[in-house]
Amino acid sequence: MGINRVLITGGAGFIGSNLALKLINKKYEVVVLDNLSPQIHGDDFSCSPLYLSIKDKVEFIHGSVLSKNDWLRALKGVDAVIHLAAETGTGQSMYEIEKYTDVNIKG
């Protein structure tokens, strides 16, 4: 049977989007769960090169790793999970500690 359908959290980020494209080329079905953070994608994610590189190639779920409902939606029919979702920004992590620990550890 094997692995056919893969969920990538943070799949619209730099590493996640490149991984998604590699998996698609190897004939995997890819589901992406991503919050489309403005820090990564700008204020209008519809113009983000990273998002555009996977748009219409993956099943995309705009959501959060902190949401149980988003996880339940994303995990339907999935054989494997690659967890790459994380808040980025070293400086910000020093003064927005709770936001970073919530997503990067709890999520």
Side-chain angles (χ1 to χ4, degrees):
M1 186 168 191
I3 296 173
N4 297 311
R5 188 168 160 88
V6 178
L7 166 62
I8 306 173
T9 66
F14 179 75
I15 295 170
S17 62
N18 281 283
L19 177 59
L21 295 173
K22 296 286 186 197
L23 289 172
I24 291 165
N25 284 339
K26 293 193 174 285
K27 307 299 183 212
Y28 289 92
E29 291 178 47
V30 177
V31 179
V32 167
L33 172 62
D34 199 291
N35 71 355
L36 296 172
S37 169
Q39 184 162 327
I40 305 302
H41 300 282
D43 291 330
D44 181 3
F45 68 83
S46 68
C47 298
S48 165
L50 294 172
Y51 172 70
L52 291 173
S53 73
I54 61 166
K55 183 179 181 246
D56 302 325
K57 297 175 185 169
V58 302
E59 179 183 331
F60 186 82
I61 298 169
H62 188 184
S64 170
V65 294
L66 297 175
S67 167
K68 180 179 178 180
N69 288 335
D70 291 342
W71 272 109
L72 292 174
R73 254 178 60 211
L75 288 169
K76 284 188 180 157
V78 164
D79 302 305
V81 176
I82 301 171
H83 181 50
L84 300 175
E87 286 293 338
T88 61
T90 306
Q92 290 173 334
S93 70
M94 297 296 143
Y95 58 86
E96 293 186 48
I97 295 168
E98 189 171 2
K99 174 183 175 182
Y100 282 72
T101 57
D102 281 351
V103 172
N104 296 359
I105 298 169
K106 295 176 186 176

